Amino acid sequence: GGVFVPCSSDHPTIHLADLPPEQSDLSLLQGWPPLRANSSIWGSVSYLERPYDVLTSCNTKGYTMKLTEFHEFDCANGFSGGPVINGDGQCMAVFHAVMVDAKCGYAICLEDVREFLTNALENVSIIYD
């Protein structure tokens, strides 16, 4: 409803990475799936920017994002929205989903995350101006 409510808990800030990951970069997926709070999975980048439509013939929501692929994240059901952290402690992607047929986990690429946040912050300032 146009209301932005920040979390009142004191969490450390996770900064966005300056550069996108490279293939084989080590990564940590942090998540809060049901009944497994504060869980993590280690993996590595296997593909950088796979178009969403290449992975599925069913795109009812009209996604246009590019996804970073992680083979080790194929067990990450419930991690959607969790940060994928690089070796410098920076967010290099945001986890999207497990694609069972591909046996991989996919995260929204850094470029698309950055674009989304820029647009969202611009819209928040319009609402509150």
Side-chain angles (χ1 to χ4, degrees):
V3 178
F4 180 77
V5 180
C7 179
S8 60
S9 298
D10 187 24
H11 301 289
T13 301
I14 300 174
H15 297 280
L16 284 180
D18 294 325
L19 299 171
E22 295 184 13
Q23 197 162 353
S24 300
D25 275 359
L26 188 60
S27 54
L28 172 73
L29 171 58
Q30 184 65 47
W32 298 263
L35 306 176
R36 297 181 295 155
N38 202 26
S39 296
S40 57
I41 300 171
W42 285 97
S44 58
V45 176
S46 56
Y47 195 90
L48 294 174
E49 293 185 355
R50 197 174 296 282
Y52 187 86
D53 284 337
V54 168
L55 298 169
T56 181
S57 59
C58 178
N59 187 358
T60 58
K61 295 184 179 180
Y63 290 137
T64 59
M65 63 213 174
K66 295 175 292 302
L67 300 172
T68 304
E69 181 178 276
F70 301 84
H71 286 293
E72 297 87 348
F73 294 174
D74 66 335
C75 61
N77 280 321
F79 279 77
S80 296
V84 181
I85 308 296
N86 66 17
D88 294 325
Q90 301 168 326
C91 179
M92 63 176 176
V94 174
F95 195 71
H96 174 66
V98 171
M99 300 285 190
V100 178
D101 292 340
K103 297 184 179 171
C104 293
Y106 292 90
I108 303 166
C109 75
L110 181 62
E111 174 188 337
D112 286 354
V113 170
R114 194 178 304 280
E115 181 181 335
F116 170 81
L117 290 174
T118 299
N119 290 334
L121 291 173
E122 286 173 359
N123 288 331
V124 166
S125 67
I126 290 170
I127 291 170
Y128 290 102
D129 284 346

